[in-house]
Amino acid sequence: MRFWPRILVNAVIFLALAGFFQSSLAGGLQNAFYVSGVGIALLASFVLALLNAVVKPILFVLSLPITVLTLGLFSVVINAAMLELTSWFVGSNFAFSSFGITMMVAIIMSIFNAIISDHFATN
């Protein structure tokens, strides 16, 4: 998938997950993930893309031994760290209540991005 469509898709995923975590369906996880609006979701998606292009490769190389030992599962922690850095850069309009929630959002985003990228690759 190209750069700008991925930015839009990630922004939609951010909004959907924030909406889910604001609803009563989230149960005890209500208010665990907050996005103040569409503009902030687009900004966060853009910042995440920049961090993934610049910082993530460095973190991946530095954490390669532990990633190999955990059979690749440590990459989820790296993705969550990228989301936390995004939250730090964007500010209080884009926030997670804990690192566990950040990891959950990273996993869900990875699944959605894999499904969506697969759909665009076949068309």
Side-chain angles (χ1 to χ4, degrees), residues 11-123:
V12 169
I13 293 171
F14 282 148
L15 289 170
L17 289 174
F20 172 76
F21 282 112
Q22 297 301 318
S23 73
S24 61
L25 294 174
L29 298 176
Q30 265 186 319
N31 302 320
F33 176 43
Y34 174 72
V35 178
S36 66
V38 176
I40 294 297
L42 286 169
L43 175 66
S45 183
F46 184 74
V47 169
L48 180 64
L50 290 177
L51 288 172
N52 281 340
V54 176
V55 177
K56 188 174 180 180
I58 297 167
L59 284 178
F60 181 77
V61 169
L62 291 175
S63 67
L64 195 57
I66 194 165
T67 303
V68 170
L69 284 174
T70 61
L71 302 175
L73 291 176
F74 192 73
S75 63
V76 173
V77 176
I78 294 173
N79 288 342
M82 292 297 98
L83 283 173
E84 281 288 340
L85 272 173
T86 301
S87 174
W88 185 78
F89 280 117
V90 173
S92 62
N93 292 324
F94 182 82
F96 299 95
S97 64
S98 68
F99 191 72
I101 295 299
T102 310
M103 285 185 57
M104 185 185 313
V105 169
I107 291 168
I108 294 169
M109 284 191 66
S110 297
I111 291 168
F112 283 149
N113 276 319
I115 292 169
I116 293 168
S117 293
D118 183 51
H119 174 72
F120 282 113
T122 58
N123 289 336

